Each structure stands twice: as C-alpha cells, then as structure tokens.
Amino acid sequence: MCGITAYIGPRNAYPIVINGLKRLEYRGYDSAGIMLFDGQGLQLSKTKGKVSDLEEITNNDEKRKNGNIGIGHTRWATHGVPNDTNSHPHVSNSGELVIVHNGIIENYDTIKKELIKRGYTFKSDTDTEVLVNLIQEVKKNEGCKLGKAVQLALNSVIGAYAIAVFDKAKPDELIVARLGSPIAIGIGENNSEFFIASDASPFVEYTKNAVYLEDEELAIIKLGREVRVRRIHNDELIKASVQKLQLSLEEIEKGGYDHFMLKEIHEQPKAITDTFRGRLLVEQNFIKLLGIDSYREKFLNANRVIIVACGTSWHAGLVGEYLLEDMARIPVEVEYASEFRYRNPVITENDVIIAISQSGETADTLAAIKLAKERGAFVYGICNVVGSSIARETHTGTYTHAGPEIGVASTKAFTTQITVLTLMALKLGREKGTIPEKEFVKYLNAMDRIPQQVEKLLEIDEHVKYIASVYKDATNCLYLGRGFNFPVALEGALKLKEISYIHAEGYPAAEMKHGPIALIDENMPTFVIATKHGHYEKVVSNIQEIKSRSGKIIAIVTEGDITVKEIADHCIEIPETEEALTPLLTTIPLQLLSYHIAVMLGKNVDQPRNLAKSVTVE
Ligand code: F6R
C-alpha cells in the first residue's frame, strides 16, 4: 500500500514526481504529497485526496514546483486518518530530514514515547513521522552520515517499509531501504540522474536500467556514483544487479479507453495468448512449463497441493482446486493466506504450496510462503509482476505475463491465473496418466480457441450494458454457480461490491436453499451461471425456484440455449467450450456488468474507495 517516488538529477523533479505518483495511485489514493528542494529550502505540499488535488495546490504556485530533487507519496492510510497533516512527506523536527514511507512501523508508539521524553514533538498521528525523527536522533547521537543513521534506525524498528530519505545538508544524495515493500531504482546515463519508485512505471520513459532492492537492503544513491547497496542488519556490501526493464509506456497508459479496468477487460484475449506463449504447444501435443519440468518429482510425489492467496487470486485458486483434482487427481486445499499464516497449519515436505498473486507483493501471501518454506514445503508461485517479492521468494513458478494491471479491480490477472492453473492441471494429468490422451488433445485444442472466443464474447458489451442499466439500482445481488463456476460466482460478486459498492454474495447454486433463498423477492437480481454442462438441469431447477419467488434472473448460458431463455429475465450467451474451461468465458460478462453498473452509478472504477491495488500490510 502507498506509492513512493523520487527524483534526483539535472531535470526539474516536479513533473517527474507528479506523473510518477499518478502511475502509482493504484497503490493508494487517500492523500498525496511532494517535497522539492531547489538548493535553498524545502518546498512541501501535501493534501488529503488524490494526486489531482495535490496538483491544484501546486499548479498556480511556481515556487512549489522548483527543484532538481523531489520526493512524493500517494497514501493508503494505516496510522492516522487521511488528512493534510498525516499525508507524506514528513519532515524531522530539525527541518533537515524528509521521508516518504510505504509500510507500517509496528513499534512506533514505544519509539515515539522515548523521543517525546527527549524533547521531540509530533504534528501527525503517523508512524512515519516517528521514523524520520528517530533517524534524526540517531544521526545526532552517533555523529554519522545519513546512510548509517537510516541503517541504525531501521535496525531498531519492527515492521515493514520501503522508504526514501533526503537530507537538506546532502542535496546530491538520497537513501532508500526496503523490508516487505518494494523499491525500484532507475539509473540514468553515467549515474547522472536517479529515479526511485515503488515499481518501475514512473520512470519507464527515462531509463530501462533498474535495480530492485531485496528485503533488508539499503541503498545510498549519490549523483555521479554507482548505487551502493548494503544489508541493513549486518552492513554487508552487496553488488547491485542492474536489470533491463521490459515494461513499455503504452502498457501503462489507457490507450483510448475511459478506464484502465475496461482496457484490461478488453486486453484479455491478448493476455491469455501471452500466458500460452511457448507453453501451449498444440502442434507438438505438449504443455511446456519449466517450473514443473524442473521440479517434476516434487509434483508427482506430492501428497497434496495447498493453494494460498487472497481476494480474486484466492478465487482463481478455487478454480485451480477443481482443475487439479479433476485432471491430475491430486488432493488440493485452498487457503486464505491470512488465515493459513497464523493458524499453525500442518505442512509437510511432501506438500506442494502454490502461491497465487497478481502483484507478487501481498503481505499475507508472502508470509504464508515464508511459513511453508520454514516447514520444509516446496513453494510454486503464480505471479504477474516479474521480479516481485513473491516471485523471488518462491522456489520456482510461472509468470502469467498479463502485462501491468492498473485498475484496482482485478480482471485479466484472474483469467490468466486460471489459464496457468489449467495448463498445470493438464500437464500434471498427462504426466500422471490421469487424463486419457484423447481428452488431453481435446483440451489443448479447446484452450487454443479461448482467446478468439473471449474476443467474440467482448462484442456483447452493449447487451451487458443494457442489463446493467436495468439492475444498477439494486441494493443486493446474488451470484450463483456450480462446479468450476462456483468460484466465478464468488468473483462476480466481489467485482460488483468493490467498484459499485452494491452488496453482493456468491454461492454454490445448490446452497441457495439452505439460507439465501430467504432473500429472494422481486427486488433481488440473481446472476446465475448455467452453462450446458454437468449440473445444468440442477441449476435450471434452482432458477425455477428463484422465479417462483418472483426473483429476477440474469443467466449466463451456452450459445443456443433454449430452456433457460424461456425462464430467465435476461440471458448472456457464451461460446461452447469444455466444462473445465468455462470459467475463462463466464467471467467476462460478469466483469463487464460490474464495470458498467459502477460507471452508471458514477463511481470511481479504477480507484474504488478504501481499496488499494497491492495490499502490502496486514
Ligand atoms: C480484487 C482484487 C483483490 C486482490 C487481492 C490479492 O479485484 O484485486 O482482491 O486479488 O488483494 O492481490 P494479489 O493478487 O496481488 O496478491
């Protein structure tokens, strides 16, 4: 949570930092701030609200936009409500040190009390203001340089952080450090300028060379010199490894769409194709997944698979459970990472843990991985963000290659996660001999058709928009599905809740009569996934039960369906495919539906209230 960015070099820092913050707003957007240094004094501007609100303050004031050094922050509040004072950057009591911070300092209260005894005063309620004053105190007491003072201060804090610190007395230098929250350093030609950010998106147009800090690392960034990286706890000097960025500017812009979410929904045919690339080899009748190939025995001898994830990724994990059990006959458990990490789970060396995460930075998922590794399990990651903490922490894994997902509501990340899980289940099923050869070939061909089918499905946008206009004023909605589509019902409900703030619940269709049916009346729309497969007749009966209680039915059906069409109020058709692959299609109309309802209700689709794209705190 929270985005941090900074610049030091010959250019005016203001536009770089402000544009960088806009790209990082997916990480938090309840307040924003910027500090510029023009060689004379600090210019601090901060406000509750979005980066656009910050721009309003600075726009007509040239003084606030001057300087070749700038640090900025976009916040998702943890300690202290979102207001101007609690916004970052924070300045130390001496007025010399400035900090931006992403994370939580858990023992801030104890440190604060100690600093107050020593005469420090605090303006804000934040843990960050405590940290910057602690650094000041250490610097004063030890008489050391800023880098050393930051390192010593961090050794006495408990918590998670990505920080950037500036000292007025050393205007050619910035100190950054990370533990649990990401930091990327963009490096200009001959070290003539540096860019710092929570991810590389703020500086992609300026440099392709970046250093990603690892946990427990601190970097001293000084103009004209190579970045120096040290391990925080033992002062070990580390060789900074410079990576070439693959990210392009087009990928992180809206490309003509009104919202990132809509763009990302429409990107799914390409995203799924990219997930397949080099892996789904239809001609060779083969699925190539290096992560599995290199650890084949681990998978083949696994007693069980435990999938850990949060939110939408957890829903993808549920689809994975159905796929892996059905195709590869491996017992699977799907766990909320937040529960798993604290409930003293039984984990053995014969367990395979699959951690799923779009961002690769989710704190609970990361902690679940660490726990599983400590207990000897083998951990496989399914991540979107290349080089993210989870990607690095796992033994091996598969990238989804969905491209940057910026809309807070996850869309293409979900379908590409399911794509990877399907490839894994098919591959393991074949290696274990639990899928007959003929079936395998059938699946491969059906998978190959999915991107075109998604493309075709996206053409129903106007029809879905119409349905959205009919139900946009509902206050409660039910989502039902069975089998592979039960998790899709959960995901459909989550999508609606998070961007339109309409209460929605997902249920396995047959569970309806054990409770939720009491909610049904003429005001309650139920979205039912009723494709023509295994449980079709049973779902049709559920639909009838709802209709006979005056409920409204919006059904997702297979092309050419007649039965449901006669009963439902509205139908949305999806192309024919194998039952196990239907989640890749049934998800699409539910995403569009949530999107249109949220737009019609005037909600901020890409930045829904109280949420952030990457949840790096507990
Ligand atoms: C919902 C959503 C969240 C994330 C969850 C996990 O649209 O985006 O529920 O799925 O916070 O995030 P990752 O996948 O980054 O670990």
Side-chain angles (χ1 to χ4, degrees):
M1 328 291 262
C2 302
I4 67 180
T5 189
Y7 173 78
I8 179 167
R11 306 178 207 236
N12 178 6
Y14 178 82
I16 299 171
V17 174
I18 286 286
N19 289 334
L21 288 180
K22 286 185 185 161
R23 290 186 195 154
L24 294 174
E25 263 191 318
Y26 73 88
R27 302 178 64 85
Y29 36 80
D30 58 39
S31 26
I34 184 170
M35 182 287 298
L36 290 163
F37 183 70
D38 61 4
Q40 309 288 315
L42 301 177
Q43 281 299 331
L44 187 65
S45 315
K46 45 192 206 169
T47 180
K48 177 177 181 213
K50 298 195 186 303
V51 179
S52 54
D53 298 306
L54 178 64
E55 271 183 302
E56 267 177 38
I57 299 176
T58 48
N59 259 351
N60 298 321
D61 189 345
E62 285 311 309
K63 223 168 69 206
R64 287 178 185 267
K65 298 202 266 186
N66 254 342
N68 305 105
I69 297 172
I71 62 182
H73 189 268
T74 175
R75 180 167 187 245
W76 187 87
T78 53
H79 290 102
V81 294
N83 63 25
D84 297 359
T85 320
N86 287 337
S87 310
H88 301 212
H90 289 284
V91 182
S92 67
N93 276 195
S94 67
E96 297 269 307
L97 308 187
V98 185
I99 192 171
V100 284
H101 168 216
N102 162 204
I104 294 181
I105 305 302
E106 289 171 10
N107 58 339
Y108 83 102
D109 204 32
T110 321
I111 301 170
K112 188 173 182 175
K113 285 187 183 128
E114 187 51 44
L115 288 172
I116 289 172
K117 274 196 223 153
R118 296 185 193 194
Y120 282 81
T121 56
F122 293 90
K123 296 191 187 112
S124 77
D125 308 317
T126 63
D127 49 347
T128 308
E129 196 186 4
V130 174
L131 181 57
V132 72
N133 281 306
L134 176 65
I135 297 168
Q136 182 193 308
E137 177 67 5
V138 172
K139 189 166 178 271
K140 188 182 81 189
N141 288 345
E142 300 292 322
C144 56
K145 290 185 178 168
L146 180 64
K148 191 72 192 165
V150 173
Q151 185 183 359
L152 293 171
L154 290 178
N155 271 326
S156 59
V157 305
I158 301 168
Y161 50 78
I163 54 169
V165 190
F166 171 71
D167 182 352
K168 232 169 95 177
K170 281 268 185 178
D172 59 347
E173 193 177 275
L174 281 169
I175 308 295
V176 298
R178 82 160 267 178
L179 178 65
S181 299
I183 281 267
I185 305 164
I187 301 169
E189 199 128 332
N190 299 323
N191 301 311
S192 60
E193 58 182 347
F194 293 97
F195 308 81
I196 286 117
S198 302
D199 68 36
S201 63
F203 55 79
V204 65
E205 64 264 55
Y206 300 107
T207 177
K208 291 283 183 224
N209 295 325
V211 170
Y212 287 89
L213 283 196
E214 299 283 345
D215 270 352
E216 272 278 335
E217 287 180 359
L218 174 145
I220 299 169
I221 296 163
K222 198 174 164 67
L223 285 177
R225 210 181 70 180
E226 277 186 10
V227 173
R228 273 199 202 153
V229 182
R230 288 186 178 276
R231 187 100 54 220
I232 294 168
H233 73 277
N234 65 5
D235 206 32
E236 182 194 345
L237 198 61
I238 290 156
K239 173 125 191 63
S241 116
V242 181
Q243 300 184 20
K244 282 273 168 230
L245 293 178
Q246 301 299 330
L247 198 66
S248 72
L249 196 54
E250 301 83 74
E251 280 182 301
I252 52 171
E253 289 182 335
K254 280 193 203 143
Y257 287 93
D258 288 342
H259 299 97
F260 280 112
M261 182 181 179
L262 188 62
K263 175 183 175 230
E264 287 154 11
I265 290 173
H266 281 268
E267 276 173 351
Q268 287 174 109
K270 176 175 180 300
I272 296 172
T273 306
D274 289 344
T275 311
F276 283 156
R277 186 154 298 123
R279 296 166 175 163
L280 178 74
L281 308 173
V282 184
E283 314 260 284
Q284 286 140 269
N285 200 16
F286 188 68
I287 290 173
K288 187 165 159 190
L289 287 174
L290 288 179
I292 292 190
D293 290 328
S294 337
Y295 291 87
R296 195 171 167 273
E297 298 308 314
K298 285 269 179 210
F299 278 96
L300 296 187
N301 299 327
N303 283 344
R304 60 176 178 164
V305 164
I306 304 172
I307 299 181
V308 291
C310 302
T312 289
S313 298
W314 184 79
H315 295 156
L318 286 180
V319 179
E321 176 183 15
Y322 282 76
L323 290 164
L324 284 161
E325 293 212 346
D326 183 55
M327 296 175 173
R329 309 306 299 151
I330 305 176
V332 180
E333 287 163 30
V334 187
E335 297 256 8
Y336 286 115
S338 54
E339 288 297 312
F340 182 80
R341 63 179 288 195
Y342 285 121
R343 69 168 184 81
N344 194 14
V346 176
I347 309 168
T348 71
E349 285 178 7
N350 290 330
D351 289 327
V352 168
I353 310 291
I354 301 181
I356 308 177
S357 174
Q358 187 287 128
S359 61
E361 301 295 343
T362 301
D364 284 321
T365 310
L366 201 49
I369 294 169
K370 287 182 179 159
L371 175 76
K373 278 173 69 182
E374 270 162 33
R375 299 196 179 178
F378 164 72
V379 187
Y380 195 94
I382 300 178
C383 288
N384 188 35
V385 178
V386 176
S388 55
S389 304
I390 292 177
R392 288 199 305 256
E393 193 65 41
T394 44
H395 291 108
T396 184
T398 302
Y399 282 117
T400 50
H401 292 314
E405 190 181 69
I406 292 163
V408 164
S410 211
T411 52
K412 61 178 180 171
F414 180 65
T415 43
T416 52
Q417 286 163 350
I418 297 176
T419 304
V420 169
L421 288 159
T422 313
L423 291 172
M424 289 176 76
L426 281 168
K427 183 174 177 69
L428 291 170
R430 191 189 204 196
E431 304 234 341
K432 292 186 74 186
T434 48
I435 295 189
E437 183 65 17
K438 239 171 88 186
E439 284 285 296
F440 183 78
V441 174
K442 203 164 73 177
Y443 274 122
L444 250 50
N445 286 295
M447 288 285 273
D448 199 34
R449 285 192 293 274
I450 292 286
Q452 295 98 294
Q453 291 181 318
V454 175
E455 191 83 64
K456 179 160 173 248
L457 195 46
L458 288 165
E459 290 168 15
I460 57 162
D461 195 36
E462 278 305 310
H463 177 49
V464 177
K465 201 168 171 178
Y466 167 71
I467 297 174
S469 73
V470 178
Y471 297 101
K472 69 179 194 328
D473 297 317
T475 47
N476 292 293
C477 294
L478 200 56
Y479 284 72
L480 302 178
R482 287 194 77 150
F484 293 99
N485 283 298
F486 156 53
V488 176
L490 298 182
E491 174 61 8
L494 177 64
K495 284 293 85 97
L496 188 69
K497 289 190 255 220
E498 65 183 332
I499 58 170
S500 70
Y501 320 144
I502 296 172
H503 174 244
E505 299 230 31
Y507 261 92
E511 276 293 302
M512 184 190 61
K513 51 189 168 303
H514 299 287
I517 197 163
L519 295 168
I520 303 289
D521 65 14
E522 65 282 5
N523 301 316
M524 177 80 154
T526 302
F527 300 89
V528 189
I529 303 161
T531 56
K532 240 185 171 140
H533 295 103
H535 314 291
Y536 178 70
E537 269 79 26
K538 294 185 198 299
V539 177
V540 172
S541 304
N542 296 141
I543 292 175
Q544 256 146 354
E545 286 154 15
I546 294 168
K547 281 311 293 177
S548 51
R549 285 159 183 84
S550 309
K552 297 278 183 294
I553 292 284
I554 306 92
I556 297 177
V557 297
T558 311
E559 236 163 26
D561 184 293
I562 306 166
T563 317
V564 177
K565 269 196 193 143
E566 279 179 3
I567 333 168
D569 296 273
H570 305 275
C571 278
I572 300 169
E573 291 192 339
I574 63 144
E576 182 82 66
T577 187
E578 297 299 321
E579 181 175 8
L581 308 187
T582 50
L584 291 168
L585 301 179
T586 51
T587 303
I588 311 291
L590 297 181
Q591 294 171 342
L592 286 169
L593 192 97
S594 306
Y595 171 77
H596 287 304
I597 290 182
V599 171
M600 284 170 196
L601 295 176
K603 306 297 184 208
N604 189 336
V605 172
D606 284 332
Q607 295 171 350
R609 69 182 179 201
N610 305 339
L611 291 175
K613 183 78 185 152
S614 108
V615 185
T616 56
V617 294
E618 281 193 56

